[in-house]
Each structure stands twice: as structure tokens, then as C-alpha cells.
Amino acid sequence: MRAVIVDCAIYRDGRRTEVPSDLAAALAEARSSGDAFLWIGLYEPTVREIERVSSQFALHPLAVEDALSAHQRPKLEVYDDSLFAVIKPVVYEHLSDTVSTDELMAFIGDSFVVTVRHGEGAPLAAVRRRLEAEPEVLRHGPTAVLYAISDAVVDHYMEVAGELQTDLEELETEVFAPTGGQDTKNTASRIYTFKRQIMEFRRAAGPLVAPMARLAGADVPFVHEHSQPFFRDVGDHLTRANEHVEGLDRLLSDILSAHLAQVGVRQNDDMRKISAWAAMAAVPTMVAGIYGMNFEHMPELGWVWAYPAVIASMGAVVLALYRQFKRRGWL
């Protein structure tokens, strides 16, 4: 069982203390103190492993089932003996310029916190170190853990949104450069791929607004009564991150529309050039076709200068068409 427990500690008056080897004994010790709580961190537990923990903490079976599945939407659910929260941290891969999401579940109850992590993006280790360095925050109990986790995840949302904006500005510069956007298929693919990254981000951050608003309100069980301003601050940061990414999404749609318009303009230019050259080629083709019909009674056949005159006439007409098309910008 210790293999799946990443960290386990009792925090008494904001200070970390030794934990008994038995979870039931550790929980009883935390509850008997009155000013302590037990925090257990699990990493991708199996069914048997999480059932052992759930039996000790009386976790609701529906919440346990959700904690085993790494495909949940951000949410907040209240059960009789615990509060269950799902948060999706966002991971930005710099090498591939892709956004991916992990999952983080937290059970908050009477004198205990159980966190379940799926993936490598959840900042639980950093959150625990930060809280252990701030005992005055840990004195607020399990609510402090939920707040610190939410705050860390949302702050990282802001960082990822800033990195996405930087990449989008680079893409915008390439699309609108004088020689940019020539590879139409590749450019459109990059824009579409970028839009998928924005969508992945919004799927993680958007649904989290409602749980944060609920935690910022009153009458949420197992949440400290004076924690509303802190969750309201997290909600404000989350709103800013969502508005930032929504603006990026709109800008990306505008870039795609502008790129398609550029493609249409280039296609029109190409068609005009093709039409102009086709028109110039049609004149000598038509004249040559007439004289290639082998009629007997054609007065020009007896003229000494007929052949050079016809050639000169064709050249003059083609030159006149060329100057006309050039003046109108078709060539």
C-alpha cells in the first residue's frame, strides 16, 4: 500500500508530525487532537488500493469510482461524509507546442484530505512544500489544501495562456508576412492544430468556474467559514485566464479567416494571370488555325509579304494585349 501513497502526514497546528503506520490510527489521532488533519497523496491507485483507503475514510462509492477514472470534468460534489473536487491541471509541451491535461481529485472531510493524482502535471509536491513553509495557512485545516491546490493550478493556467499567446503572435507574424502563408496546406494545418490546443485548454479551465463560484459562496460543508475571499480570488484569476484564452480563440478564428481570404486573393491573381496568357495565346492560335484550313481561294496566298505581315499582325495584337493586361495588374 505504501507504494501508491506518495506522501502521508498529520499536520497539527500547521506543523508536520509523524504518522502511525495504520491509516485508521492516523485518522483517529488527527480527529482526537481537534487542531490536526491527515493528508494522504495517492498516485494513480488501482481499484484495490483506493478501496482500502475509502473503507478507512468512508468515502462515497460514486466519488471513488470517479477518482479511478481519469476522464472527469472539473466539478465539485458534496456527499454526507466528504467533499469531492475534480481539477484538471494543464501541461504545455514546449517541444511539440501541444497542450495536454492531467487530473487531480481531492476528498475533503472531517480532519482529512485524500488527493488522487493522474498524470505528471499536478503540482501536488510543490503545493505541499509551499504549505509546509506557511504553517499559518495550514492551520485552517483541509480547506487550506483545497485552496492551495486550486490556486496553484489556476496560476499555471495563466502561465500557459501567456505561452499560448506568444506562440499565436509568432504564427500570426508568419501568416501575414509578405512571403508567409505560401504553403497553404501546412499553414491551415498549423492553425487548426493550434485551435485544438485552445479547445483542450478551455475544456479544463471552463467547467472549473462553477466549482470555484460555489466554494466562494457560503454553506459548503467541510470548507472553513472564512475561506470565501480566498476562493473568490482564485475564481477571479480563473475568469481572467478563461477570458484570455477566449480572446486567443477569437483571434485564431480571425487569423484563419484572413488566411483563407489571402488564399482566395492569390487564387484570383493566379486565375487572372492564366486568363491573360491564355488570351494572348488565343490570338496566334486563331490566326494560324484559319490559315491552316487549306482553302484554295485565299487572296493572301499570292502576296509576297503575306507571311511576314500575318506574323507581324499576330505579334502586334499579342503585344497590345500584354500591355493592356500589364497596365491592369493582371501580369
Side-chain angles (χ1 to χ4, degrees), residues 155-226:
D155 284 347
H156 192 60
Y157 284 171
M158 297 293 293
E159 296 176 7
V160 173
E163 292 172 342
L164 288 173
Q165 180 175 1
T166 300
D167 290 348
L168 182 57
E169 289 173 353
E170 294 177 357
L171 178 60
E172 183 180 18
T173 301
E174 293 179 10
V175 170
F176 293 104
T179 58
Q182 298 297 327
D183 190 351
T184 301
K185 184 177 180 180
N186 184 57
T187 302
S189 176
R190 289 184 59 196
I191 295 175
Y192 177 76
T193 301
F194 203 103
K195 199 168 184 65
R196 288 297 300 267
Q197 310 313 315
I198 296 292
M199 185 182 301
E200 186 71 16
F201 186 104
R202 297 182 70 176
R203 276 201 294 259
L208 190 59
V209 173
M212 287 299 107
R214 190 175 179 184
L215 288 169
D219 301 329
V220 179
F222 310 107
V223 175
H224 196 279
E225 58 182 356
H226 299 302

Side-chain angles (χ1 to χ4, degrees), residues 17-289:
T17 61
E18 295 297 328
V19 181
S21 58
D22 183 66
L23 293 181
L27 181 60
E29 179 182 334
R31 285 175 172 171
S32 63
S33 322
D35 61 346
F37 70 94
L38 175 65
W39 181 3
I40 300 177
L42 306 178
Y43 176 69
E44 296 183 354
T46 63
V47 175
R48 178 178 298 180
E49 291 164 343
I50 200 169
E51 282 181 351
R52 181 177 175 183
V53 174
S54 66
S55 63
Q56 300 289 342
F57 294 90
L59 304 179
H60 197 280
L62 291 178
V64 172
E65 181 181 351
D66 289 343
L68 286 170
S69 174
H71 301 286
Q72 301 296 317
R73 296 178 74 252
K75 61 182 178 179
L76 179 69
E77 295 180 348
V78 178
Y79 297 99
D80 294 336
D81 299 318
S82 63
L83 187 71
F84 179 62
V86 178
I87 302 175
K88 296 179 74 70
V90 171
V91 179
Y92 185 73
E93 299 291 343
H94 292 278
L95 297 179
S96 58
D97 293 336
T98 58
V99 173
S100 61
T101 56
D102 294 328
E103 291 200 15
L104 177 61
M105 291 85 165
F107 295 89
I108 308 296
D110 180 17
S111 301
F112 73 85
V113 178
V114 178
T115 54
V116 180
R117 177 166 59 96
H118 292 273
E120 301 294 335
L124 285 183
V127 169
R128 191 183 286 263
R129 288 194 300 269
R130 168 187 156 195
L131 286 175
E132 290 178 353
E134 300 175 349
E136 66 279 2
V137 178
L138 272 177
R139 291 191 184 99
H140 292 87
T143 303
V145 177
L146 181 58
Y147 159 71
I149 292 173
S150 304
D151 186 54
V153 170
V154 172
D155 284 347
H156 192 60
Y157 284 171
M158 297 293 293
E159 296 176 7
V160 173
E163 292 172 342
L164 288 173
Q165 180 175 1
T166 300
D167 290 348
L168 182 57
E169 289 173 353
E170 294 177 357
L171 178 60
E172 183 180 18
T173 301
E174 293 179 10
V175 170
F176 293 104
T179 58
Q182 298 297 327
D183 190 351
T184 301
K185 184 177 180 180
N186 184 57
T187 302
S189 176
R190 289 184 59 196
I191 295 175
Y192 177 76
T193 301
F194 203 103
K195 199 168 184 65
R196 288 297 300 267
Q197 310 313 315
I198 296 292
M199 185 182 301
E200 186 71 16
F201 186 104
R202 297 182 70 176
R203 276 201 294 259
L208 190 59
V209 173
M212 287 299 107
R214 190 175 179 184
L215 288 169
D219 301 329
V220 179
F222 310 107
V223 175
H224 196 279
E225 58 182 356
H226 299 302
S227 65
Q228 285 86 358
F230 298 95
F231 285 108
R232 189 159 51 245
D233 180 67
V234 175
D236 290 341
H237 292 175
L238 179 61
T239 300
R240 288 171 53 194
N242 282 322
E243 290 177 349
H244 192 173
V245 175
E246 184 178 352
L248 295 180
D249 191 26
R250 289 196 299 267
L251 179 59
L252 191 60
S253 298
D254 294 339
I255 292 175
L256 179 59
S257 299
H259 171 67
L260 294 177
Q262 284 183 326
V263 172
V265 170
R266 285 197 296 269
Q267 288 178 342
N268 289 336
D269 290 340
D270 293 340
M271 288 302 300
R272 286 190 300 181
K273 291 179 181 179
I274 294 172
S275 300
W277 288 111
M280 288 187 291
V283 173
T285 301
M286 180 187 66
V287 175

